[in-house]
């Protein structure tokens, strides 16, 4: 389009513009770049979601291990105390109750941890599916619009 078109030169201004538009691929490049950008964003969202899920599960696992370790240490101390001969029956009963409480605590933490991890994985799978569906819809929408705009009439 660097040429100057004079009146009466044989081609009209409209024909020259139409010819320039037909050969123009910037619209296609723009649409392809948008599609690639959108797909990249959807993939980044999915990766972030997976990473957050992994972090939540790792944190929960570490917390669970800490509680199990503490309760295990408490049970070990209680067992060693039960070996003493100078304890009364009430003291032995109190130590056994502490051991039962520690075992119950460990069991409860295990159940809560498993439920939390199942919930996190379920949410992550559902969220990934939603993001991928959204990405597919956007790509199909942009692609369909590009096809409609570039369709010869």
């Amino acid at each position: 389009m660097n040429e100057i078109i004079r009146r009466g030169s044989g081609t009209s201004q409209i024909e020259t513009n139409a010819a320039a538009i037909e050969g123009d691929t910037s619209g296609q490049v723009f649409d392809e770049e948008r599609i690639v950008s959108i797909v990249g964003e959807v993939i980044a969202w999915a990766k972030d979601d997976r990473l957050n899920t992994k972090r939540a599960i790792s944190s929960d696992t570490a917390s669970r291990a800490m509680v199990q370790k503490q309760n295990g240490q408490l049970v070990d101390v209680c067992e060693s105390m039960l070996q003493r001969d100078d304890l009364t029956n009430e003291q032995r009963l109190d130590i056994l109750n502490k051991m039962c409480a520690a075992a119950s605590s460990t069991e409860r933490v295990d159940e809560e941890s498993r439920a939390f991890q199942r919930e996190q994985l379920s949410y992550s799978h559902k969220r990934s599916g939603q993001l991928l569906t959204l990405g597919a819809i956007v790509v199909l929408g942009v692609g369909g619009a590009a096809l409609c705009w570039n369709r010869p009439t």
Side-chain angles (χ1 to χ4, degrees), residues 5-152:
I5 299 175
R6 295 186 184 139
R7 288 185 188 224
S9 64
T11 56
S12 71
Q13 183 76 25
I14 295 172
E15 291 172 344
T16 304
N17 286 342
I21 290 172
E22 285 178 13
D24 186 23
T25 60
S26 65
Q28 292 173 351
V29 171
F30 178 70
D31 289 338
E32 290 172 6
E33 289 175 0
R34 282 175 76 189
I35 291 171
V36 168
S37 173
I38 291 169
V39 169
E41 286 294 321
V42 170
I43 290 171
W45 288 339
K47 285 181 180 179
D48 286 347
D49 191 58
R50 285 183 58 115
L51 184 61
N52 288 338
T53 300
K54 285 181 181 181
R55 285 180 181 158
I57 289 174
S58 294
S59 175
D60 179 67
T61 301
S63 174
R64 178 176 152 191
M66 183 180 70
V67 170
Q68 287 175 334
K69 180 180 176 184
Q70 289 173 344
N71 286 339
Q73 290 172 342
L74 178 64
V75 168
D76 290 342
V77 168
C78 289
E79 283 178 352
S80 66
M81 288 179 67
L82 284 176
Q83 301 299 322
R84 293 176 37 189
D85 293 332
D86 61 339
L87 296 176
T88 65
N89 284 340
E90 290 103 20
Q91 290 172 327
R92 288 183 188 279
L93 187 59
D94 186 46
I95 291 171
L96 288 173
N97 287 336
K98 286 180 183 177
M99 290 175 72
C100 286
S104 296
S105 171
T106 300
E107 189 176 317
R108 183 180 40 81
V109 167
D110 284 344
E111 289 174 10
E112 290 172 357
S113 178
R114 284 189 200 106
F116 174 78
Q117 290 181 15
R118 275 193 305 270
E119 181 182 323
Q120 285 295 310
L121 289 173
S122 175
Y123 173 79
S124 178
H125 291 151
K126 189 185 305 180
R127 181 68 146 174
S128 295
Q130 290 171 344
L131 289 173
L132 292 175
T133 302
L134 173 66
I137 289 170
V138 169
V139 168
L140 290 174
V142 171
L147 287 175
C148 289
W149 288 333
N150 293 329
R151 186 179 350 166

